[in-house]
PDB file of all heavy atoms in Angstrom:
ATOM      1  N   ILE N 234       5.909  22.208   5.052  1.00  0.00           N
ATOM      2  CA  ILE N 234       5.377  23.295   4.222  1.00  0.00           C
ATOM      3  C   ILE N 234       4.286  24.065   4.956  1.00  0.00           C
ATOM      4  O   ILE N 234       4.254  25.311   4.934  1.00  0.00           O
ATOM      5  CB  ILE N 234       4.845  22.728   2.889  1.00  0.00           C
ATOM      6  CG1 ILE N 234       5.998  22.119   2.083  1.00  0.00           C
ATOM      7  CG2 ILE N 234       4.155  23.819   2.078  1.00  0.00           C
ATOM      8  CD1 ILE N 234       5.548  21.384   0.843  1.00  0.00           C
ATOM      9  N   PHE N 235       3.376  23.347   5.618  1.00  0.00           N
ATOM     10  CA  PHE N 235       2.309  24.030   6.361  1.00  0.00           C
ATOM     11  C   PHE N 235       2.868  24.826   7.544  1.00  0.00           C
ATOM     12  O   PHE N 235       2.331  25.888   7.902  1.00  0.00           O
ATOM     13  CB  PHE N 235       1.270  23.023   6.850  1.00  0.00           C
ATOM     14  CG  PHE N 235       0.247  22.662   5.813  1.00  0.00           C
ATOM     15  CD1 PHE N 235      -0.392  21.433   5.832  1.00  0.00           C
ATOM     16  CD2 PHE N 235      -0.095  23.556   4.814  1.00  0.00           C
ATOM     17  CE1 PHE N 235      -1.348  21.094   4.884  1.00  0.00           C
ATOM     18  CE2 PHE N 235      -1.040  23.233   3.851  1.00  0.00           C
ATOM     19  CZ  PHE N 235      -1.666  21.997   3.885  1.00  0.00           C
ATOM     20  N   THR N 236       3.936  24.324   8.160  1.00  0.00           N
ATOM     21  CA  THR N 236       4.566  25.069   9.253  1.00  0.00           C
ATOM     22  C   THR N 236       5.178  26.364   8.739  1.00  0.00           C
ATOM     23  O   THR N 236       5.043  27.430   9.364  1.00  0.00           O
ATOM     24  CB  THR N 236       5.638  24.208   9.943  1.00  0.00           C
ATOM     25  OG1 THR N 236       5.041  22.994  10.432  1.00  0.00           O
ATOM     26  CG2 THR N 236       6.278  24.950  11.101  1.00  0.00           C
ATOM     27  N   ILE N 237       5.847  26.288   7.597  1.00  0.00           N
ATOM     28  CA  ILE N 237       6.386  27.501   6.965  1.00  0.00           C
ATOM     29  C   ILE N 237       5.252  28.457   6.614  1.00  0.00           C
ATOM     30  O   ILE N 237       5.359  29.682   6.816  1.00  0.00           O
ATOM     31  CB  ILE N 237       7.199  27.134   5.710  1.00  0.00           C
ATOM     32  CG1 ILE N 237       8.452  26.329   6.109  1.00  0.00           C
ATOM     33  CG2 ILE N 237       7.588  28.380   4.927  1.00  0.00           C
ATOM     34  CD1 ILE N 237       9.224  25.788   4.923  1.00  0.00           C
ATOM     35  N   HIS N 238       4.163  27.902   6.097  1.00  0.00           N
ATOM     36  CA  HIS N 238       2.972  28.698   5.761  1.00  0.00           C
ATOM     37  C   HIS N 238       2.486  29.492   6.972  1.00  0.00           C
ATOM     38  O   HIS N 238       2.237  30.709   6.894  1.00  0.00           O
ATOM     39  CB  HIS N 238       1.881  27.751   5.256  1.00  0.00           C
ATOM     40  CG  HIS N 238       0.497  28.315   5.276  1.00  0.00           C
ATOM     41  ND1 HIS N 238       0.059  29.266   4.392  1.00  0.00           N
ATOM     42  CD2 HIS N 238      -0.571  28.047   6.095  1.00  0.00           C
ATOM     43  CE1 HIS N 238      -1.205  29.566   4.633  1.00  0.00           C
ATOM     44  NE2 HIS N 238      -1.612  28.837   5.674  1.00  0.00           N
ATOM     45  N   GLY N 239       2.380  28.810   8.119  1.00  0.00           N
ATOM     46  CA  GLY N 239       1.917  29.492   9.321  1.00  0.00           C
ATOM     47  C   GLY N 239       2.924  30.481   9.875  1.00  0.00           C
ATOM     48  O   GLY N 239       2.550  31.587  10.301  1.00  0.00           O
ATOM     49  N   LEU N 240       4.207  30.117   9.866  1.00  0.00           N
ATOM     50  CA  LEU N 240       5.237  30.996  10.425  1.00  0.00           C
ATOM     51  C   LEU N 240       5.361  32.296   9.639  1.00  0.00           C
ATOM     52  O   LEU N 240       5.568  33.372  10.219  1.00  0.00           O
ATOM     53  CB  LEU N 240       6.581  30.267  10.456  1.00  0.00           C
ATOM     54  CG  LEU N 240       6.741  29.197  11.540  1.00  0.00           C
ATOM     55  CD1 LEU N 240       8.078  28.484  11.392  1.00  0.00           C
ATOM     56  CD2 LEU N 240       6.620  29.817  12.935  1.00  0.00           C
ATOM     57  N   LEU N 241       5.248  32.218   8.313  1.00  0.00           N
ATOM     58  CA  LEU N 241       5.352  33.428   7.497  1.00  0.00           C
ATOM     59  C   LEU N 241       4.251  34.426   7.852  1.00  0.00           C
ATOM     60  O   LEU N 241       4.498  35.636   7.968  1.00  0.00           O
ATOM     61  CB  LEU N 241       5.294  33.059   6.011  1.00  0.00           C
ATOM     62  CG  LEU N 241       6.543  32.383   5.444  1.00  0.00           C
ATOM     63  CD1 LEU N 241       6.284  31.895   4.024  1.00  0.00           C
ATOM     64  CD2 LEU N 241       7.724  33.353   5.450  1.00  0.00           C
ATOM     65  N   TYR N 242       3.049  33.910   8.044  1.00  0.00           N
ATOM     66  CA  TYR N 242       1.953  34.796   8.439  1.00  0.00           C
ATOM     67  C   TYR N 242       2.151  35.340   9.851  1.00  0.00           C
ATOM     68  O   TYR N 242       1.903  36.529  10.123  1.00  0.00           O
ATOM     69  CB  TYR N 242       0.615  34.050   8.350  1.00  0.00           C
ATOM     70  CG  TYR N 242      -0.016  34.094   6.990  1.00  0.00           C
ATOM     71  CD1 TYR N 242      -0.108  32.954   6.202  1.00  0.00           C
ATOM     72  CD2 TYR N 242      -0.528  35.290   6.478  1.00  0.00           C
ATOM     73  CE1 TYR N 242      -0.692  32.986   4.946  1.00  0.00           C
ATOM     74  CE2 TYR N 242      -1.122  35.341   5.223  1.00  0.00           C
ATOM     75  CZ  TYR N 242      -1.200  34.190   4.456  1.00  0.00           C
ATOM     76  OH  TYR N 242      -1.771  34.230   3.207  1.00  0.00           O
ATOM     77  N   VAL N 243       2.592  34.475  10.775  1.00  0.00           N
ATOM     78  CA  VAL N 243       2.793  34.910  12.168  1.00  0.00           C
ATOM     79  C   VAL N 243       3.824  36.026  12.242  1.00  0.00           C
ATOM     80  O   VAL N 243       3.633  37.043  12.927  1.00  0.00           O
ATOM     81  CB  VAL N 243       3.209  33.709  13.044  1.00  0.00           C
ATOM     82  CG1 VAL N 243       3.747  34.188  14.393  1.00  0.00           C
ATOM     83  CG2 VAL N 243       2.027  32.770  13.256  1.00  0.00           C
ATOM     84  N   VAL N 244       4.943  35.874  11.520  1.00  0.00           N
ATOM     85  CA  VAL N 244       5.995  36.895  11.537  1.00  0.00           C
ATOM     86  C   VAL N 244       5.486  38.197  10.925  1.00  0.00           C
ATOM     87  O   VAL N 244       5.720  39.300  11.458  1.00  0.00           O
ATOM     88  CB  VAL N 244       7.245  36.398  10.797  1.00  0.00           C
ATOM     89  CG1 VAL N 244       8.276  37.517  10.664  1.00  0.00           C
ATOM     90  CG2 VAL N 244       7.857  35.207  11.522  1.00  0.00           C
ATOM     91  N   ALA N 245       4.759  38.091   9.813  1.00  0.00           N
ATOM     92  CA  ALA N 245       4.237  39.293   9.154  1.00  0.00           C
ATOM     93  C   ALA N 245       3.242  40.025  10.051  1.00  0.00           C
ATOM     94  O   ALA N 245       3.274  41.258  10.177  1.00  0.00           O
ATOM     95  CB  ALA N 245       3.583  38.912   7.829  1.00  0.00           C
ATOM     96  N   TRP N 246       2.346  39.263  10.707  1.00  0.00           N
ATOM     97  CA  TRP N 246       1.360  39.902  11.589  1.00  0.00           C
ATOM     98  C   TRP N 246       2.030  40.497  12.825  1.00  0.00           C
ATOM     99  O   TRP N 246       1.621  41.555  13.316  1.00  0.00           O
ATOM    100  CB  TRP N 246       0.309  38.883  12.008  1.00  0.00           C
ATOM    101  CG  TRP N 246      -0.538  38.408  10.866  1.00  0.00           C
ATOM    102  CD1 TRP N 246      -0.792  39.070   9.695  1.00  0.00           C
ATOM    103  CD2 TRP N 246      -1.237  37.166  10.780  1.00  0.00           C
ATOM    104  NE1 TRP N 246      -1.605  38.324   8.885  1.00  0.00           N
ATOM    105  CE2 TRP N 246      -1.911  37.139   9.524  1.00  0.00           C
ATOM    106  CE3 TRP N 246      -1.381  36.066  11.612  1.00  0.00           C
ATOM    107  CZ2 TRP N 246      -2.694  36.067   9.110  1.00  0.00           C
ATOM    108  CZ3 TRP N 246      -2.172  34.991  11.213  1.00  0.00           C
ATOM    109  CH2 TRP N 246      -2.815  34.996   9.980  1.00  0.00           C
ATOM    110  N   ALA N 247       3.051  39.805  13.346  1.00  0.00           N
ATOM    111  CA  ALA N 247       3.761  40.330  14.519  1.00  0.00           C
ATOM    112  C   ALA N 247       4.486  41.628  14.179  1.00  0.00           C
ATOM    113  O   ALA N 247       4.512  42.572  14.981  1.00  0.00           O
ATOM    114  CB  ALA N 247       4.747  39.284  15.035  1.00  0.00           C
ATOM    115  N   MET N 248       5.079  41.698  12.979  1.00  0.00           N
ATOM    116  CA  MET N 248       5.755  42.925  12.556  1.00  0.00           C
ATOM    117  C   MET N 248       4.772  44.077  12.417  1.00  0.00           C
ATOM    118  O   MET N 248       5.126  45.243  12.640  1.00  0.00           O
ATOM    119  CB  MET N 248       6.480  42.684  11.222  1.00  0.00           C
ATOM    120  CG  MET N 248       7.674  41.753  11.318  1.00  0.00           C
ATOM    121  SD  MET N 248       8.400  41.396   9.693  1.00  0.00           S
ATOM    122  CE  MET N 248       8.934  43.030   9.191  1.00  0.00           C
TER     123      MET N 248
END
Side-chain angles (χ1 to χ4, degrees):
I234 296 173
F235 277 153
T236 302
I237 294 173
H238 162 73
L240 285 176
L241 287 172
Y242 273 111
V243 166
V244 173
W246 294 336
M248 291 175 63

